[in-house]
Amino acid sequence: MAIDQPGKKNVDLFRVGTPGSVLLGEFGAPAVSETRSGRKYEIFKFVQGYSTGAKAGRALVHGAADVATFGLWEVVGTPTEAIFSGDEMAYEVSYDQDNKVDEVTTLKK
């Protein structure tokens, strides 16, 4: 389960001046996209995961524990991985006329 956890997203991209296409590339399609008072707003929701190294390290520890306990570690390891499956995050951004971020609001962190 550790290897299948979501990857780490670059939340530093949620800053003024970032092109909208860069946000789409990193976070995928926004959950909400609308125009208010002539300005484009989007809400990005995602699960912040773990780096490749962290996922590989966790998988290695779980594998070693499985071997050392003849598989009994699964009773503890599986629920643990279910709990540590990443944090839900949400950001709202608005764009200027050049489709670059001009305002960022953290909705869930």
Side-chain angles (χ1 to χ4, degrees), residues 26-47:
E26 179 70 9
F27 302 100
V32 175
S33 184
E34 62 186 5
T35 302
R36 291 185 246 146
S37 302
R39 289 179 67 191
K40 181 180 172 184
Y41 289 84
E42 292 182 330
I43 295 176
F44 291 90
K45 294 180 180 181
F46 58 95
V47 175

Side-chain angles (χ1 to χ4, degrees), residues 28-76:
V32 175
S33 184
E34 62 186 5
T35 302
R36 291 185 246 146
S37 302
R39 289 179 67 191
K40 181 180 172 184
Y41 289 84
E42 292 182 330
I43 295 176
F44 291 90
K45 294 180 180 181
F46 58 95
V47 175
Q48 179 63 295
Y50 304 95
S51 69
T52 303
K55 292 191 309 184
R58 285 169 53 186
L60 183 64
V61 168
H62 285 294
D66 275 346
V67 170
T69 64
F70 301 104
L72 292 176
W73 175 250
E74 290 298 318
V75 174
V76 174

Side-chain angles (χ1 to χ4, degrees), residues 2-107:
I3 290 294
D4 294 329
Q5 297 293 335
K8 187 171 180 90
K9 302 285 187 182
N10 184 2
V11 295
D12 292 335
L13 294 175
F14 287 111
R15 67 176 185 278
V16 173
T18 300
S21 59
V22 172
L23 292 181
L24 289 174
E26 179 70 9
F27 302 100
V32 175
S33 184
E34 62 186 5
T35 302
R36 291 185 246 146
S37 302
R39 289 179 67 191
K40 181 180 172 184
Y41 289 84
E42 292 182 330
I43 295 176
F44 291 90
K45 294 180 180 181
F46 58 95
V47 175
Q48 179 63 295
Y50 304 95
S51 69
T52 303
K55 292 191 309 184
R58 285 169 53 186
L60 183 64
V61 168
H62 285 294
D66 275 346
V67 170
T69 64
F70 301 104
L72 292 176
W73 175 250
E74 290 298 318
V75 174
V76 174
T78 299
T80 301
E81 282 303 314
I83 291 169
F84 295 106
S85 59
D87 298 317
E88 292 183 19
M89 303 182 91
Y91 291 86
E92 179 181 64
V93 297
S94 63
Y95 299 95
D96 63 16
Q97 65 276 6
D98 296 324
N99 201 38
K100 292 186 178 181
V101 174
D102 66 359
E103 188 177 340
V104 177
T105 304
T106 302
L107 302 176

